[in-house]
Amino acid sequence: MAKSKFEYVKQFEAEDKCLPNCWIVIRVDGKSFHRFADVHHFVKPNDDRGLNLMTRAAQCVMDEYKDVVLCYGQSDEYSFVFKKNTNVFNRRGSKIMSNVVSLFTSSYVFYWPRYFNTQSMQYPPAFDGRVVLYPGDKNLRDYLAWRQADCHINNLYNTCFWKLVQERGLTPAQSQEKLKGTLSSDKNELLFNDFSLNYNNLPEMYRKGTVIIHQKEKELDANSMSPLERSPRNSVSFSFQGDYIPRTRVQILHSDIISEKFWTEHPQILDGVK
Ligand code: DGT
Ligand code: MG
Ligand code: MG
Ligand code: MG
Ligand code: MG
C-alpha cells in the first residue's frame, strides 16, 4: 500500500527495545493505595482479601505471559520477572510494561467481587508500571531481596504502629513518635513484651510476601490434580472457586527468597528452564 504523506510522523516514535540478555522486570504498584485501602476499609496492616486479590491478578499475568519465570508481590505491588532471552513483543519495553500493567489492573477489578463479595468498589483503581533490566543473576536476586526486605521492614513497623494505635489507644502521631529510631530488635521486643505477640508467628504471607513460580515438569507429570490443589496446603493463600481455569500450573509460596535455599531448591528459575 502506498504510504500517505503523513507517514513520516512514525519517525517521532522512540525505540525502547530492552537490551538483549538481561532479565526484564516489570513492577506494578497501586496508585495512592493508602487512600484506596482506607476507602475500602482494608484491615490494617494486612488485608487477606486485598493481598489475595493482588495474587490472583498476578496469576492472570503469569498465565498470559509464559516467559514470566517468577512473580513477587507484597503490599500494593507485584514484580514480574521475564526470562533473559524472552522475545515477547520483540522486547519493546513500553509495550511489555503497558500490557502487563493493563492486564493486572483489569484482572484486579474483574476478580474484586470474588474476594470482597458484596462490598462494591468505590472508584476505579490504577497501577503504575516500570521496566527495569538486570544484566546478571546476582542483580536480579538482589532486586528481589530488596523487595522482600522492604516487605519485612514495612510489615514489622506497621504491625507495631497499628498495635499501638488500635490496642494501646495512641494517636497515629504518638505511635510514630514512639517508634522513631527503633531497631528491628526493639520492635520485636515491643510486640512480645507489650502485646504478647511473637512476630515470627505472624502469617508468612505478611512477613515474606508472595512468590509465584511455575510447577516443575516432573511434578506436573506426577500429579493430575488442579494446580492449586497440588500446591502444599500451607503455601496456598486463597481458594479458587471460579469457572476460569488457569492454563499455567503454578506454585504460590511465601518463601524466603533472600537466602540461598530457595534458589538451590528451584534452580530452573535462573536456568530459564520451565
Ligand atoms: P503511590 O504508590 O506513590 O501512588 O502511593 P501509595 O499510597 O500506594 O503508597 P505505597 O505504594 O508506598 O504504599 C502502599 C499503601 O497501600 C500503603 O499506604 C498501605 C496500603 N496497603 C497495601 N496493602 C494494604 C493492606 O493489606 N491493608 C491496608 N490497610 N493497607 C494496605
Ligand atoms: Mg502504591
Ligand atoms: Mg510511593
Ligand atoms: Mg507500594
Ligand atoms: Mg493494535
Side-chain angles (χ1 to χ4, degrees):
M1 208 170 26
K3 288 184 175 180
S4 81
K5 66 175 179 177
F6 307 117
E7 187 95 4
Y8 79 95
V9 296
K10 254 191 98 54
Q11 295 166 22
F12 285 69
E13 289 181 18
E15 266 267 351
D16 69 340
K17 203 167 163 159
C18 295
L19 197 69
N21 204 35
C22 289
W23 297 103
I24 301 175
V25 175
I26 308 291
R27 182 166 79 250
V28 302
D29 182 288
K31 177 173 181 289
S32 303
F33 255 48
H34 63 278
R35 172 162 171 255
F36 189 82
D38 274 353
V39 169
H40 294 91
H41 315 292
F42 277 25
V43 177
K44 296 168 195 309
N46 293 289
D47 189 300
D48 285 346
R49 300 164 304 173
L51 295 170
N52 290 329
L53 173 58
M54 290 286 291
T55 294
R56 187 68 196 84
Q59 222 195 322
C60 290
V61 173
M62 201 163 187
D63 203 30
E64 181 69 23
Y65 297 100
K66 303 301 180 204
D67 286 351
V68 172
V69 293
L70 178 148
C71 317
Y72 174 73
Q74 53 119 340
S75 182
D76 68 339
E77 68 171 61
Y78 246 100
S79 297
F80 300 90
V81 180
F82 283 78
K83 64 183 184 186
K84 277 182 139 177
N85 62 352
T86 183
N87 202 30
V88 67
F89 299 126
N90 215 10
R91 295 180 77 90
R92 281 177 294 162
S94 55
K95 186 94 175 175
I96 304 171
M97 186 265 281
S98 58
N99 269 291
V100 166
V101 78
S102 161
L103 180 60
F104 185 90
T105 308
S106 67
S107 303
Y108 188 93
V109 174
F110 186 82
Y111 284 105
W112 173 271
R114 195 163 292 170
Y115 293 87
F116 286 85
N117 299 315
T118 54
Q119 188 189 324
S120 56
M121 226 179 215
Q122 299 301 306
Y123 64 91
F127 289 82
D128 69 24
R130 70 194 71 195
V131 191
V132 193
L133 302 180
Y134 291 107
D137 295 358
K138 180 175 185 317
N139 300 143
L140 176 71
R141 278 187 53 179
D142 286 348
Y143 167 79
L144 293 166
W146 173 50
R147 298 324 304 147
Q148 190 163 55
D150 185 83
C151 173
H152 165 70
I153 292 163
N154 289 335
N155 188 57
L156 180 59
Y157 181 90
N158 291 337
T159 303
C160 293
F161 181 90
W162 289 112
K163 282 277 176 201
L164 291 169
V165 171
Q166 291 171 341
E167 293 183 26
R168 183 76 67 73
L170 267 57
T171 64
Q174 288 168 330
S175 180
Q176 193 180 358
E177 188 57 34
K178 187 167 168 65
L179 293 172
K180 212 161 121 184
T182 54
L183 305 172
S184 282
S185 52
D186 301 325
K187 294 188 193 74
N188 273 300
E189 275 174 35
L190 172 84
L191 291 174
F192 194 75
N193 295 334
D194 293 21
F195 300 101
S196 308
L197 178 70
N198 183 340
Y199 180 76
N200 291 323
N201 291 341
L202 283 177
E204 286 195 309
M205 178 166 72
Y206 302 167
R207 293 183 289 119
K208 300 202 167 89
T210 301
V211 186
I212 315 178
I213 54 173
H214 292 283
Q215 288 276 0
K216 290 179 196 158
E217 290 294 344
K218 64 175 192 294
E219 287 170 7
L220 282 178
D221 294 344
N223 202 321
S224 61
M225 286 192 293
S226 80
L228 291 173
E229 284 173 313
R230 200 183 297 109
S231 304
R233 264 209 183 284
N234 62 4
S235 76
V236 178
S237 54
F238 64 97
S239 69
F240 187 78
Q241 312 144 341
D243 42 0
Y244 170 81
I245 305 296
R247 287 164 292 165
T248 314
R249 309 296 175 90
V250 296
Q251 265 185 305
I252 296 167
L253 308 166
H254 307 294
S255 313
D256 179 337
I257 53 174
I258 298 178
S259 63
E260 202 58 40
K261 186 168 172 276
F262 175 82
W263 301 97
T264 316
E265 282 176 4
H266 304 283
Q268 78 284 1
I269 298 169
L270 295 180
D271 290 348
V273 182
K274 282 184 198 165

